[in-house]
Amino acid sequence: MKRLFWILLPLALPAFAFAQDADPLRFQLERTESGFIRLDRETGAVSLCREAEGDLVCRMAADERAAYEKELDLLGDRVTALEKRLDAQPSQNALPGEAEIEQSLSIMERFMRRFMEIIEEFTTERDNAEPAPQRT
């Protein structure tokens, strides 16, 4: 599950960086003896930040990281359960069995027989009907 975290992290970083740039009043920085604490005013998330080579580098607080990893584990479990459920379902590309073919042909045969009976009734009625008078 940790490997999934490291795979998904690079995908999430651009969105995270974009979200930071969206609202300049969203975050509040407070200086501490070891660096900074950054408060996300929208979510309430707290990050520990320090200066490194002129950049501010932030990490999630330990309790948030644990909650984040727990959420990733839960999502991973859901994905696994969904994959198992999908694998258990019969393939939709499978060809019908002999019994299904016979049942389909039986239904089609009954339909055709009934359809032909209806056509025969109309034909018989038309042949037995009196001819229309000539109006010429």
Side-chain angles (χ1 to χ4, degrees):
M1 190 46 54
K2 299 240 187 221
R3 185 168 44 182
L4 179 64
F5 170 76
W6 291 112
I7 291 171
L8 294 176
L9 182 63
L11 299 173
L13 286 178
F16 182 73
F18 178 76
Q20 286 180 334
D21 295 338
D23 184 9
L25 301 176
R26 179 175 175 178
F27 297 97
Q28 176 180 347
L29 286 175
E30 294 292 328
R31 182 175 285 284
T32 65
E33 59 275 354
S34 61
F36 295 92
I37 293 179
R38 181 181 68 181
L39 171 65
D40 184 340
R41 293 181 182 184
E42 282 186 20
T43 64
V46 176
S47 301
L48 305 173
C49 305
R50 61 178 175 80
E51 273 189 79
E53 300 176 12
D55 291 329
L56 193 60
V57 180
C58 299
R59 296 179 331 157
M60 284 188 247
D63 57 340
E64 288 179 25
R65 183 165 213 53
Y68 182 72
E69 288 180 5
K70 181 180 178 183
E71 182 68 20
L72 281 177
D73 289 339
L74 290 173
L75 290 173
D77 293 343
R78 286 182 62 194
V79 167
T80 302
L82 288 172
E83 287 173 344
K84 285 180 183 176
R85 200 167 90 194
L86 186 61
D87 289 341
Q89 290 182 349
S91 174
Q92 292 182 356
N93 295 332
L95 296 175
E98 196 65 32
E100 291 173 306
I101 293 172
E102 286 301 320
Q103 181 183 13
S104 298
L105 289 174
S106 174
I107 292 169
M108 288 173 33
E109 184 179 3
R110 283 188 302 163
F111 170 79
M112 289 302 293
R113 286 184 190 279
R114 180 68 180 125
F115 183 72
M116 294 306 285
E117 287 174 9
I118 293 171
I119 290 175
E120 189 175 325
E121 286 176 23
F122 283 131
T123 306
T124 305
E125 285 177 11
R126 188 178 67 190
D127 291 342
N128 292 337
E130 292 182 19
Q134 295 290 331
R135 296 187 178 174
T136 54

